[in-house]
Amino acid sequence: MHCLWEIIDNAVDEALAGACDHITVTLHDDGSVEVADNGRGIPVDVEPKTKLTGVEVVLTKLHAGAKFGNASYNAAGGLHGVGSSVVNALSSRLDVEVDRDGKTHHMAFHQGHPGVYSDTDPEHPSPDAPFKRTRKNRPTELEIIGKVSPKTTGTRIRYWADPEIFNDTAEFSYEQLIDRVRQTSFLVPGLRITVIDENVPETGDDSVDEMMEVDAAQTPADDGTGLMDAADIVSAADTAVEDTVEAGEAEARSAAVSAAAETAKVDAARHTHARVEEFRHTGGVKDFVDFLSAGEAVSDIWRITGEDTYEEETQAVGEGGELHAQKVTRKCGVDIAMRWTNGYDTTMRSFVNVVETPGGGMHVDGFLMGLTKQIRKAVEDNARKLKVNLKDSNMRVERDDILAGLVAVVTVRIAEPQFQGQTKDVLGTAPVKPIVTRMTDKQFGEMITGSKRGYKEQSGRVLEKIVGEMHARIQRARPRRSRAARTRSNPPPCRRNCPTASRATTMWPSCSSSRATPRSARPRLRAIPDSRRCCRSEARYSTCRRHR
């Protein structure tokens, strides 16, 4: 799946740059996968240094992406610019088509080497078709296979995984793909992503075969595909019947139904996709938090947004080819959404330029630092109302109390982020932490203190929940401290009615009843029958003073 993420992330980077609003991912029935976008398209001009076309440079050379030097992307998910070229090297075949300058350009690769495939059926390309490799150090010319409108641009990449590298059990996980596409649609508002899976037989039920996840219901208008759904077909048939009956034609009903049936057959022939799912959200991380929330909401969705700059020292190449340190000023955009629910589990997702960071990093550390600081300050200011004894050292809000029931999405957008490893699990760019902390201190501080309009009642409920979690934690810790305080030098007292203990002795560490629970170890005062009394004092006490 990682190879697929690399190709999808390249298309998403075009959307982040504002040049793309639709991405289509197709899982073909022959085991290949195709990613298409309507972005600007890979450059097709000849690169002066290598004398190769831009398409061949991007797909065969390392560190050749336009994400370096901030020439085309201010924020991108790429780390080293090796994603597309590595996917090409791991594929038995890769085809790329680029719509640019009013033409459709095409180039094919075999295990990373450019060349030409001789397909018997161009509509159904195969990695087993005869392949003629281009001679080494000789540029491969782009093949022009069609014409498009000058305003039409985009890139389509289709590849087959190399069976010599991936075993027979390797396959695409549809569930992982849907989860990744859904979260991307949340993080890039307005981006429409369509997933087509041709490996599942078509059921004929539109509610099963097609699913659209959007913010609002779409109007049943023509989407440009020319297809009609079942409701439109029946409506058209009924309309035709009514018109013809009014005209007095006797066979109107049968003719209209036959025409509707023929239209349905034509549309069914055109609709060849077995399973189609489409995602589009405009609310951003706010909609993402609403999707992740489970249980009753304690507060509304609170949002922290802003942008700041920081200086970073990088390595630059001089005119003579020497390396030297250079300080650059970069921008950091922050977008955080959060909500507390009545549950106990914590759901926190963090992202850097649409790339998920499961291990957190500097942006998450900065968010939690500002969050903890402001909540502790708010609890101290409202200690009397919340019934918190500030003199008790145990009554201190911990981070676990704050995270209970919290649902949050933390995202930052920076140029050339520094990750720990190619998997990009942890963000390591240190200047991001103080930026996120300052924004959280200022904006969340206004929300939790209730000084911001509309947040006073919600902040009160949040603080009550957090303080309740603190009291529950303290209560759970008390029995453990009591048991831990019992040592051999200070054992619990023996029960007074213990049959093995002598009445002349008050404590026996070896007595089995001394290991009883605190509740059962308490002295029990109860009346003794007259036949077992030894004196008048025993009428009131379980053991008389003389026999204690």
Side-chain angles (χ1 to χ4, degrees), residues 209-321:
D209 295 335
E210 297 187 16
M211 192 277 286
M212 181 178 296
E213 184 176 307
V214 295
D215 292 332
Q218 301 294 327
T219 57
D222 185 15
D223 58 356
T225 60
L227 304 182
M228 299 174 61
D229 57 13
D232 294 336
I233 295 171
V234 175
S235 177
D238 293 339
T239 303
V241 170
E242 293 176 0
D243 295 341
T244 52
V245 166
E246 291 178 0
E249 296 183 4
E251 299 180 355
R253 183 70 183 179
S254 58
V257 172
S258 300
E262 292 296 331
T263 305
K265 291 181 180 180
V266 173
D267 290 339
R270 293 178 181 177
H271 183 70
T272 59
H273 306 313
R275 180 166 50 179
V276 180
E277 296 195 39
E278 187 170 290
F279 301 87
R280 183 178 181 273
H281 301 89
T282 58
V285 293
K286 185 176 180 180
D287 288 350
F288 201 2
V289 169
D290 190 26
F291 173 78
L292 296 174
S293 299
E296 183 180 353
V298 177
S299 66
D300 293 339
I301 299 177
W302 297 354
R303 198 164 183 177
I304 300 173
T305 58
E307 188 177 78
D308 205 345
T309 59
Y310 65 93
E311 287 189 354
E312 186 177 29
E313 187 173 309
T314 61
Q315 297 291 331
V317 181
E319 296 181 356

Side-chain angles (χ1 to χ4, degrees), residues 36-335:
D37 65 78
N38 61 348
R40 292 168 291 188
I42 302 175
V44 296
D45 301 332
V46 177
E47 202 273 326
K49 294 183 180 180
T50 60
K51 306 299 181 180
L52 303 175
T53 61
V55 175
E56 187 173 353
V57 171
V58 169
L59 293 173
T60 58
K61 304 298 181 181
L62 300 179
H63 312 290
K67 304 168 187 178
F68 296 90
N70 297 334
S72 301
Y73 301 100
N74 292 324
L79 177 60
H80 301 304
V82 301
S84 298
S85 54
V86 170
V87 174
N88 190 12
L90 298 177
S91 303
S92 60
R93 176 175 179 173
L94 185 143
D95 288 0
V96 55
E97 294 182 3
V98 179
D99 293 334
R100 193 160 177 152
D101 301 331
K103 301 175 183 178
T104 300
H105 307 267
H106 173 265
M107 182 176 285
F109 300 85
H110 174 70
Q111 297 179 342
H113 301 288
V116 178
Y117 275 97
S118 301
D119 293 309
T120 56
D121 185 4
E123 296 295 331
H124 299 85
S126 173
D128 299 328
F131 177 77
K132 183 179 180 181
R133 178 177 173 180
T134 304
R135 285 187 295 177
K136 190 176 180 180
N137 298 328
R138 182 176 179 179
T140 304
E141 295 183 0
L142 280 170
E143 180 186 4
I144 299 177
I145 60 174
K147 295 183 179 180
V148 294
S149 171
K151 296 182 179 180
T152 301
T153 57
T155 304
R156 293 175 296 278
I157 295 179
R158 181 178 180 179
Y159 69 92
W160 289 257
D162 193 346
E164 297 179 1
I165 300 175
F166 301 96
N167 53 31
D168 297 337
T169 60
E171 60 181 8
F172 294 103
S173 174
Y174 186 78
E175 289 73 18
Q176 292 185 19
L177 175 60
I178 291 299
D179 291 342
R180 180 68 174 260
V181 166
R182 179 184 285 112
Q183 79 177 21
T184 303
S185 66
F186 282 121
L187 299 174
V188 187
L191 175 62
R192 181 163 56 100
I193 305 179
T194 304
V195 179
I196 303 173
D197 186 9
E198 297 180 353
N199 298 300
V200 178
E202 193 172 17
T203 63
D205 186 358
D206 290 340
S207 62
V208 177
D209 295 335
E210 297 187 16
M211 192 277 286
M212 181 178 296
E213 184 176 307
V214 295
D215 292 332
Q218 301 294 327
T219 57
D222 185 15
D223 58 356
T225 60
L227 304 182
M228 299 174 61
D229 57 13
D232 294 336
I233 295 171
V234 175
S235 177
D238 293 339
T239 303
V241 170
E242 293 176 0
D243 295 341
T244 52
V245 166
E246 291 178 0
E249 296 183 4
E251 299 180 355
R253 183 70 183 179
S254 58
V257 172
S258 300
E262 292 296 331
T263 305
K265 291 181 180 180
V266 173
D267 290 339
R270 293 178 181 177
H271 183 70
T272 59
H273 306 313
R275 180 166 50 179
V276 180
E277 296 195 39
E278 187 170 290
F279 301 87
R280 183 178 181 273
H281 301 89
T282 58
V285 293
K286 185 176 180 180
D287 288 350
F288 201 2
V289 169
D290 190 26
F291 173 78
L292 296 174
S293 299
E296 183 180 353
V298 177
S299 66
D300 293 339
I301 299 177
W302 297 354
R303 198 164 183 177
I304 300 173
T305 58
E307 188 177 78
D308 205 345
T309 59
Y310 65 93
E311 287 189 354
E312 186 177 29
E313 187 173 309
T314 61
Q315 297 291 331
V317 181
E319 296 181 356
E322 70 282 358
L323 289 176
H324 64 277
Q326 179 182 2
K327 287 188 177 181
V328 295
T329 302
R330 304 191 188 279
K331 293 182 179 180
C332 176
V334 180
D335 193 358

